[in-house]
Amino acid sequence: MFLEFFYLLRARGLDVSINEWMTLEEALDKGLAKASLTGFYRLCRSILIKSESDYDKFDRVFCEYFEGIETPEDLPEEFWKWLSESDRERDLDDRGDKELFARELEELLQMFEERIKEQKEKHDGGSYWIGTGGTSPMGRGGYNPSGIRVGGRSRHKSALQVAGERNFKDFREDTILDIRQFQMAFRKLRQYSSRVDGAERELDIDKTIDETCDNGGMLKLAYEKPRKNTVKVLLLIDSDGSMLPYSRLCNRLFQAVRKSNHFKDLKVYYFHNAIYDNLYTTPHCKLRDSVETNWVFNKLDSDYKVIFVGDAAMAPSELYRPGGNSIIGLFNRETGMEWFEKFKKRFKKQIWLNPIEKKSWEYTYGARTIHDIGQVFPMFELTLDGLEAGIRKLLVK
């Protein structure tokens, strides 16, 4: 079964053994893929791929082999007919009369399967069925803080998953980044570690081999000075407002950075849209939990690698006007752009990670400020590829 797929994996440089392939066959016989292309993808990756560094290569091969295959987990045809019969869209400012709450993906997927089995007719404007223009967590053209968008176009950028792509897509582009993937990317910053002064107390394997060979085969141990990580990171995260739809993604990034032991020092501060006189120690951006930005400049040396995380989307006044600070009661004499220019001059290396898809930067809300901030800092999409490209930028001497 899928023998050509096996040969394609090996031809593209993935080390897949016969034993691993037979294990996959056995898992398929036991029904672990659940007759789903998505399930088959996850089963293949868990059995055949041994390192996160090969995930991207595997995704590309999988997409190449299964291009054009329709997934059996698509909605039944009658659902697509019902949804296509209505152009109803809820006003962007209409968030519903009652309080809506976010759900986890597992719960949503279970609810989605239940609605497919229960629903017998077209629905619009409600809060329960798969329809249009309502507050249901499943459908299109409505509002819910986290749900499954079924076809249509993205409006609030809050969907956890999209059920509307009729053909299999490259999982690398669609997957939700997890903490482990972020941690693997941040490991690359260890290239900045260096030998420190001190006694030679770590065993040098290569030098020991050379010394032993030169000593006629008699073991001669060689030691070297210990390696110490010298990387210092300043992480600045945009919080609240238009960043709310990306809060889960940014939280994963934050946890990955916190759990990483690859840095000599890590400082984390928050801001809202643009940076002004104060940075905040919590994502609530309250003045009582703030420090002066100039204090941060004076405390941290220029070797800190600065990583901004934010959508860079805001009203132009917030970036270019004195008093543009959107937090009531805080008047900024220096504009947000002037503060960003100060960061550019103060620190040697900076990057900006943007959770908005790069293809949308030119026409989405805030396109002007996204463009202008991108002229100050190298800007990358907040995907695994974008993060790795940004880290490479930080490593350039």
Side-chain angles (χ1 to χ4, degrees):
M1 185 182 295
F2 302 122
L3 194 57
E4 296 86 354
F5 181 46
F6 170 72
Y7 287 124
L8 182 63
L9 289 167
R10 293 178 66 105
R12 296 292 183 266
L14 288 164
D15 184 18
V16 180
S17 69
I18 293 294
N19 286 339
E20 289 166 342
W21 190 257
M22 295 303 294
T23 301
L24 176 62
E25 293 276 7
E26 183 179 352
L28 289 172
D29 288 340
K30 294 180 181 295
L32 298 184
K34 298 182 180 179
S36 160
L37 188 61
T38 304
F40 178 66
Y41 162 83
R42 291 169 177 162
L43 187 64
C44 283
R45 198 179 73 171
S46 64
I47 294 175
L48 304 180
I49 307 304
K50 295 172 279 292
S51 171
E52 288 93 339
S53 61
D54 287 329
Y55 280 0
D56 179 60
K57 187 183 295 184
F58 172 75
D59 289 351
R60 292 181 181 275
V61 177
F62 196 94
C63 184
E64 176 184 348
Y65 184 79
F66 290 99
E67 183 178 7
I69 301 297
E70 291 193 355
T71 62
E73 61 267 26
D74 278 339
L75 279 173
E77 288 299 326
E78 60 264 28
F79 279 81
W80 295 111
K81 181 181 178 182
W82 294 335
L83 292 169
S84 65
E85 289 175 351
S86 175
D87 293 327
R88 179 169 181 169
E89 285 192 345
R90 197 177 193 88
D91 187 274
L92 282 172
D93 295 325
D94 186 357
R95 304 288 176 99
D97 297 328
K98 55 186 178 181
E99 193 73 22
L100 299 172
F101 61 92
R103 292 181 171 90
E104 293 299 323
L105 181 58
E106 292 77 8
E107 181 186 359
L108 279 170
L109 291 175
Q110 182 179 350
M111 292 171 60
F112 192 53
E113 293 179 2
E114 292 172 354
R115 298 298 183 276
I116 292 175
K117 295 176 182 177
E118 296 173 3
Q119 190 164 336
K120 304 300 181 185
E121 59 184 359
K122 172 186 170 185
H123 286 272
D124 296 306
S127 60
Y128 184 83
W129 299 108
I130 301 172
T132 62
T135 56
S136 168
M138 292 151 288
R140 65 173 178 83
Y143 172 76
N144 197 284
S146 61
I148 297 175
R149 176 165 59 85
V150 185
R153 60 190 177 90
S154 176
R155 303 166 75 239
H156 294 282
K157 308 294 183 183
S158 61
L160 290 186
Q161 279 203 351
V162 178
E165 300 295 337
R166 304 307 298 273
N167 297 324
F168 184 83
K169 298 294 184 182
D170 186 346
F171 273 75
R172 180 184 53 82
E173 296 175 355
D174 297 339
T175 189
I176 298 174
L177 298 180
D178 60 27
I179 296 172
R180 175 66 171 167
Q181 288 173 304
F182 278 136
Q183 286 182 299
M184 293 297 293
F186 277 118
R187 281 189 180 183
K188 294 178 172 58
L189 279 176
R190 289 187 301 181
Q191 296 176 12
Y192 258 61
S193 59
S194 61
R195 299 292 174 188
V196 297
D197 294 334
E200 296 180 343
R201 59 178 184 272
E202 289 189 359
L203 182 64
D204 187 332
I205 300 297
D206 293 334
K207 192 173 180 181
T208 295
I209 294 173
D210 292 338
E211 294 281 358
T212 301
C213 291
D214 293 341
N215 197 36
M218 297 294 291
L219 180 63
K220 185 176 181 180
L221 300 177
Y223 295 90
E224 61 182 351
K225 294 178 181 179
R227 185 179 295 274
K228 184 177 180 181
N229 200 335
T230 59
V231 177
K232 294 174 288 187
V233 173
L234 171 59
L235 182 64
L236 301 168
I237 304 175
D238 187 0
S239 179
D240 210 0
S242 60
M243 284 295 293
L244 283 177
Y246 312 109
S247 58
R248 285 185 175 86
L249 182 61
C250 292
N251 186 49
R252 291 186 179 97
L253 176 68
F254 172 79
Q255 291 186 54
V257 173
R258 281 294 194 190
K259 291 182 178 181
S260 296
N261 56 1
H262 315 315
F263 312 131
K264 178 181 178 181
D265 189 32
L266 170 67
K267 303 295 184 187
V268 181
Y269 295 103
Y270 300 87
F271 63 97
H272 180 58
N273 288 347
I275 289 178
Y276 306 107
D277 303 76
N278 298 91
L279 291 168
Y280 302 92
T281 56
T282 72
H284 305 293
C285 294
K286 300 296 184 182
L287 188 59
R288 64 176 180 270
D289 301 318
S290 67
V291 296
E292 291 185 2
T293 308
N294 279 325
W295 179 84
V296 175
F297 282 168
N298 294 329
K299 182 178 177 63
L300 306 184
D301 61 58
S302 62
D303 288 331
Y304 274 79
K305 309 292 182 283
V306 182
I307 302 176
F308 292 91
V309 182
D311 58 12
M314 67 195 82
S317 60
E318 294 180 75
L319 194 59
Y320 289 111
R321 290 184 183 176
N325 192 336
S326 61
I327 299 178
I328 297 175
L330 295 180
F331 183 88
N332 57 292
R333 298 187 181 279
E334 295 177 280
T335 67
M337 182 57 80
E338 288 175 323
W339 278 107
F340 283 138
E341 292 286 358
K342 284 186 176 183
F343 272 89
K344 182 74 172 180
K345 294 177 181 178
R346 179 69 181 89
F347 299 99
K348 297 177 182 177
K349 295 292 180 180
Q350 319 90 17
I351 62 170
W352 189 292
L353 299 176
N354 195 322
I356 298 177
E357 291 181 301
K358 187 174 182 178
K359 62 184 181 182
S360 303
W361 291 356
E362 294 183 2
Y363 62 84
T364 191
Y365 166 77
R368 176 187 171 185
T369 55
I370 292 173
H371 172 271
D372 292 354
I373 291 175
Q375 298 299 303
V376 180
F377 306 109
M379 187 174 288
F380 303 90
E381 190 176 355
L382 185 49
T383 60
L384 190 59
D385 285 349
L387 176 59
E388 291 183 345
I391 288 175
R392 286 196 296 271
K393 185 70 175 178
L394 292 175
L395 292 174
V396 174
K397 294 183 179 181

